[in-house]
Amino acid sequence: MLLSHGGESLRTAGPVARWTVEQVLALAPDEASRKAGSKLGAAGPWSGSGCDGSGAVWGQCKGSGSKPYLTVIDTTGPAYKCSCPSRKSPCKHVLGLLLAWASGESALPGAEVPDWAGEWLTGRRDRSAEKAEQRTGADGAPPTGPADPEAARRRAERRAERITGGAQELKERLTDLLRGGLAAADQPGYGLWEETAARMVDAQAPGLAARVRELGSIPASGPGWPARLLEECALLHLLDSAWLGIDRLPEPLAATVRTRVGLTAPAEGPPIRDHWLVLAQYDTPDGKIVARRIWLYGKETGRTALLLSFGAAGRSPGLALPVGVTIDAELTPHPGSGRLRAELDRQFGVPSPTGTPPPGDTAAAATRAYGDALREDPWLDAWPVTLRDVIPVPSGDGWQLADAAGDAALPIAPAALSRPGLWKLVALSGGSPVTVFGECGHRGFDPFAAWSDGPDDGTGAGNGTRAGAGPGTGADAGIGRADAAAGTVPLI
């Protein structure tokens, strides 16, 4: 399996706190891995296992062969290595060992690191230190630019010319579509859309290609599809025209347009150091690759940030952070799109297993925030917000999050209605107010994480989730306010 890491792992003099079961299960790449990992979460399948105060966890798990699988984890990254042939990251053995570690010292006691695990841990931490030095330079200064900036400029110009050619062709195809009438747009089938998307890929504009593919799926989306197709065609035409006239746009909007057509811009500006709470982590298919999104909230800056990583050819993305932990780290933002996206740079110390939720707002304020964000990015589907004092209530065929004061409500997005996280949210609330983080957009509110609004006596009771409750454990409906423990409840 592949190594997965979330930043530097630094040696620490203090012991690393154990994670909760929810935080471990939030790392699983899919439901099958959660179930398989849960079966290995007891001490029985493991031998030679243990942990130490630096965040190292190791063990040997008997498999189908004559030799056991060797599994070692650096929880300060986190990072993993297992000798099993699985291409998932983390594999079921890593999940099972972490679950055993999370259950307490009786299942996984403290011990001295064996040689086979120590070799990998030492090598990984040394490589992380070397990468940190390369990023900053030996004298602490930032690294120098490209070896040949003129060659890089010429490559960028050639790609811009190809994108311009693709944008002009797309403009003509949209004109032909509207001239022929949207009512007949479903007759050619999906092949025409895929062929147009392939032309955008040839033009090195993957953002335009993705939006063309979305157009192809709308005619089969049910009643009212012509209106939805017209809306999406208008947005695509707006993006197409914005690229063709990008020289006339203000730089913040131009940076957003470049990002939307598929030009990746490097992270820039001074790093932002904060104590970042991991709010959510989820994977979405993006053609032949899988995109992983991790939402963070900075306690001191009040900033929300998005980390993106990608995995290809059936492999999981490299970056993974357990939901609910707080990391002391530096992030470098990317330009455009509200400057939400960032790169994870250096980590300091070790992750803390608990964190307080972001200060929430009302449902009405959430819609205003989304509207304000649309002014900077007209192609924005949703905006990250935290709602406070809301109650999930049924509404017709769906659900909504209603302000406890009763003066506003947001419908829960259709994509969330079929996920088990909705029932975790309902069980956590029990008819009482909760705090919920998610994305607010034109399709409604998509909940990603929640916290109980009950009193906190210092142990976190009434402000999180009961240990052991998580997807695939059979305890989704058993999260109650009275028996909640400290932490974040993942809903996706």
Side-chain angles (χ1 to χ4, degrees):
M1 61 174 287
L2 289 180
L3 172 65
S4 171
H5 63 86
E8 289 181 46
S9 171
L10 302 179
R11 294 172 176 84
T12 175
V16 176
R18 297 180 188 244
W19 300 347
T20 66
V21 170
E22 279 282 353
Q23 290 165 348
V24 173
L25 292 175
L27 290 176
D30 51 41
E31 186 64 24
S33 297
R34 290 190 185 97
K35 293 180 178 179
S38 296
K39 295 179 181 179
L40 299 175
W46 297 94
S47 62
S49 57
C51 62
D52 71 357
S54 72
V57 182
W58 62 89
Q60 303 179 40
C61 185
K62 181 174 176 54
S64 57
S66 57
K67 295 183 179 180
Y69 296 127
L70 304 180
T71 306
V72 58
I73 304 165
D74 184 355
T75 60
T76 64
Y80 340 98
K81 183 179 181 181
C82 183
S83 61
C84 76
S86 175
R87 300 179 70 181
K88 295 183 179 181
S89 178
C91 66
K92 65 179 181 180
H93 303 102
V94 169
L95 291 171
L97 187 59
L98 282 173
L99 288 171
W101 174 65
S103 64
E105 294 187 7
S106 59
L108 209 66
E112 184 176 349
V113 182
D115 291 342
W116 62 267
E119 181 179 353
W120 176 80
L121 288 164
T122 301
R124 189 195 109 74
R125 291 172 177 176
D126 288 346
R127 288 191 298 272
S128 296
E130 291 175 2
K131 290 179 180 178
E133 185 174 340
Q134 291 171 2
R135 285 196 298 266
T136 59
D139 57 355
T144 59
D148 189 350
E150 180 61 24
R153 184 188 63 81
R154 290 195 298 267
R155 287 194 298 271
E157 289 181 349
R158 287 196 296 269
R159 183 175 181 185
E161 291 175 358
R162 284 192 288 267
I163 294 176
T164 298
Q168 291 171 341
E169 180 179 347
L170 179 59
K171 184 176 181 179
E172 295 174 358
R173 295 199 177 199
L174 288 174
T175 301
D176 293 341
L177 173 66
L178 295 176
R179 184 181 294 115
L182 291 179
D186 60 335
Q187 294 179 3
Y190 191 76
L192 177 62
W193 302 103
E194 185 59 36
E195 190 267 338
T196 303
R199 294 287 297 159
M200 296 304 103
V201 172
D202 293 340
Q204 293 187 300
L208 294 178
R211 287 190 168 268
V212 169
R213 291 191 180 98
E214 290 179 3
L215 292 182
S217 64
I218 293 177
S221 63
W225 66 263
R228 292 192 293 274
L229 182 60
L230 180 60
E231 292 173 357
E232 294 302 323
C233 283
L235 284 172
L236 182 56
H237 175 68
L238 180 64
L239 179 58
D240 191 68
S241 300
W243 172 262
L244 295 175
I246 196 169
D247 293 339
R248 301 189 299 272
L249 299 179
E251 181 50 36
L253 182 57
T256 296
V257 171
R258 285 191 287 267
T259 300
R260 289 297 181 182
V261 300
L263 284 174
T264 56
E268 62 182 15
I272 303 171
R273 182 175 177 179
D274 205 339
H275 289 83
W276 300 94
L277 172 64
V278 183
L279 298 170
Q281 174 179 293
Y282 60 96
D283 297 345
T284 55
D286 188 3
K288 295 182 179 180
I289 65 176
V290 174
R292 173 167 293 169
R293 289 169 170 81
I294 302 178
W295 285 106
L296 305 176
Y297 172 76
K299 180 178 180 182
E300 283 79 23
T301 61
R303 186 187 186 109
T304 302
L306 174 65
L307 306 181
L308 278 178
S309 60
F310 302 92
R315 298 183 182 274
S316 299
L319 182 61
L321 293 174
V323 174
V325 304
T326 299
I327 58 174
D328 181 5
E330 288 181 343
L331 301 185
T332 303
H334 283 254
S337 299
R339 294 179 66 84
L340 286 175
R341 186 182 174 187
E343 293 293 332
L344 178 62
D345 292 332
R346 289 186 297 171
Q347 287 184 230
F348 306 90
V350 297
S352 169
T354 59
T356 57
D361 219 325
T362 63
T367 57
R368 286 196 299 270
Y370 175 52
D372 292 340
L374 281 175
R375 288 201 295 265
E376 297 186 10
D377 185 355
W379 306 276
L380 188 67
D381 288 328
W383 184 255
V385 295
T386 301
L387 301 177
R388 72 166 187 268
D389 295 332
V390 291
I391 303 172
V393 295
S395 174
D397 295 333
W399 286 76
Q400 63 182 5
L401 291 172
D403 284 336
D407 56 353
L410 283 175
I412 292 181
L417 296 178
S418 60
R419 295 199 303 257
L422 173 62
W423 302 110
K424 295 171 68 176
L425 176 61
V426 173
L428 178 69
S429 167
S432 297
V434 291
T435 297
V436 185
F437 168 78
E439 293 181 357
C440 178
H442 61 92
R443 297 183 180 90
F445 185 87
D446 198 351
F448 294 161
W451 302 262
S452 167
D453 285 351
D456 191 346
D457 60 2
T459 64
N463 189 19
T465 176
R466 178 172 59 83
T473 65
D476 289 346
I479 303 174
R481 295 174 60 85
D483 61 352
T488 305
V489 179
L491 303 177
I492 189 171

